[in-house]
Amino acid sequence: MTRTMEWAARGSHMRGIPRKMVIMAVGAFAKAVANLLNTTTVHNADTLINLVRSRPLGVPLITVSNHMSTLDDPVMWGFKGFPIFDSNLARWALAAEDICFKNSLLSYFFRIGCNGLVNSRKHDLMAFFTWLHTFPEGKVSQEDAPIRRLKWGTASLIVRSPVTPIVLPIVHHGFEEVMPENFWFGRRPPFPLCNKSINIVIGEPMEFNLPKMTQMAISTSHNLHNPTRGWPILSPSGLDEAAQRCLYTSISDQIQTSMESLRSSSKKLSEAKSLNSGQVEE
């Protein structure tokens, strides 16, 4: 099933017409939810838009964010000014095989319109993607809590990329109210809720000095004696399992720290906005 309909993701499939149609439809849905049904505020939007439109040639982009609801993607890209209708700038996203590819219709839809990639094949992705969005916490969490320890998948993608990607952290708040997990008898609502406030804070680009971090990981790993799981040696760097673990941990910790800083900033902005609203009402 993992390779089903991979041909549908090619830009040449039916001259790209189905892809453009689905991206237009999904984009319209995202715009409606973000701007018509709800109010969306974005901080530092120009940084994201500039990286999507005009980053250095050949340099991939990985955006990372917290995961508050099943609507985060695509609605988080529906804010005013973002080129969500441009199929040439569409992001790739990791998708759960058992949910998004469980039948032919869903497989086709996610392949052509959402750049859906089966998450079990992420080791193959870096050869062709230009912009990839990941949720490195690994699951939806609607709690107002610090960013959890990140999974190593995103760090692995960064290390395996032929060209070291630019990483852009993003933190958002409000999607847990638009699509609450426990709305009615432990179920989500059938449609997005309205009159909610969505707040998106975009950070600054992160660039990793992988050669230096690799050498540091090798040096650190010599002092560790953790049990191994039989990971293969990573080519062409020659990192063994212990060094890979050190490197992935170092990268993930930096991303987590950046995301947590954004989360704190987002809370302060939300509190300030609530305080100002209260003063206006008085």
Side-chain angles (χ1 to χ4, degrees), residues 1-3 95-103 117-120:
M1 190 68 171
T2 58
R3 297 184 180 274
E97 182 177 8
D98 59 336
I99 297 175
C100 299
F101 297 89
K102 61 184 179 181
N103 59 51
L117 296 169
V118 181
N119 57 13
S120 62

Side-chain angles (χ1 to χ4, degrees), residues 41-280:
T41 303
V42 184
H43 303 271
N44 200 26
D46 288 345
T47 295
L48 171 62
I49 294 173
N50 290 338
L51 284 174
V52 169
R53 286 189 179 278
S54 58
R55 63 186 174 279
L57 185 65
V59 178
L61 171 67
I62 296 181
T63 49
V64 296
S65 75
N66 57 324
H67 203 1
M68 297 293 285
S69 79
T70 54
L71 281 184
D72 295 354
D73 193 323
V75 176
M76 65 183 294
W77 316 115
F79 64 84
K80 295 178 181 178
F82 189 81
I84 195 171
F85 298 118
D86 191 337
S87 60
N88 295 320
L89 300 178
R91 79 235 163 268
W92 292 87
L94 299 177
E97 182 177 8
D98 59 336
I99 297 175
C100 299
F101 297 89
K102 61 184 179 181
N103 59 51
S104 297
L105 181 61
L106 286 175
S107 295
Y108 186 68
F109 175 80
F110 280 101
R111 290 291 189 191
I112 65 171
C114 300
N115 283 349
L117 296 169
V118 181
N119 57 13
S120 62
R121 297 183 57 244
K122 57 192 173 188
H123 61 283
D124 296 327
L125 306 185
M126 305 309 298
F128 57 84
F129 89 83
T130 55
W131 171 24
L132 174 69
H133 182 73
T134 72
F135 298 104
E137 290 178 293
K139 65 178 182 179
V140 171
S141 175
Q142 300 195 330
E143 299 175 0
D144 182 13
I147 301 296
R148 294 187 301 275
R149 182 177 181 275
L150 306 187
K151 306 293 186 180
W152 285 344
T154 300
S156 174
L157 290 170
I158 294 169
V159 172
R160 294 168 186 268
S161 176
V163 177
T164 303
I166 296 172
V167 178
L168 185 68
I170 301 172
V171 167
H172 50 73
H173 179 76
F175 285 109
E176 75 282 5
E177 296 182 0
V178 176
M179 184 58 71
E181 289 287 296
N182 297 310
F183 177 70
W184 184 255
F185 294 107
R187 295 173 178 250
R188 306 184 191 102
F191 304 103
L193 304 184
C194 58
N195 296 323
K196 308 298 182 183
S197 294
I198 300 170
N199 189 51
I200 302 173
V201 180
I202 298 167
E204 295 300 324
M206 302 177 67
E207 298 183 14
F208 295 94
N209 186 340
L210 288 185
K212 181 178 180 180
M213 295 180 72
T214 297
Q215 290 304 313
M216 187 173 297
I218 293 173
S219 176
T220 302
S221 66
H222 290 161
N223 300 320
L224 300 179
H225 302 285
N226 295 328
T228 61
R229 299 181 181 177
W231 292 6
I233 299 295
L234 189 62
S235 299
S237 59
L239 291 175
D240 61 15
E241 180 175 335
Q244 290 178 56
R245 288 172 175 269
C246 289
L247 182 56
Y248 296 163
T249 299
S250 177
I251 293 172
S252 298
D253 286 349
Q254 289 188 41
I255 297 174
Q256 180 181 354
T257 298
S258 181
M259 292 177 66
E260 179 58 28
S261 177
L262 290 179
R263 191 188 77 88
S264 298
S265 298
S266 177
K267 286 195 67 173
K268 291 177 181 178
L269 290 169
S270 297
E271 291 169 358
K273 184 175 180 181
S274 298
L275 179 61
N276 290 336
S277 299
Q279 291 176 344
V280 170

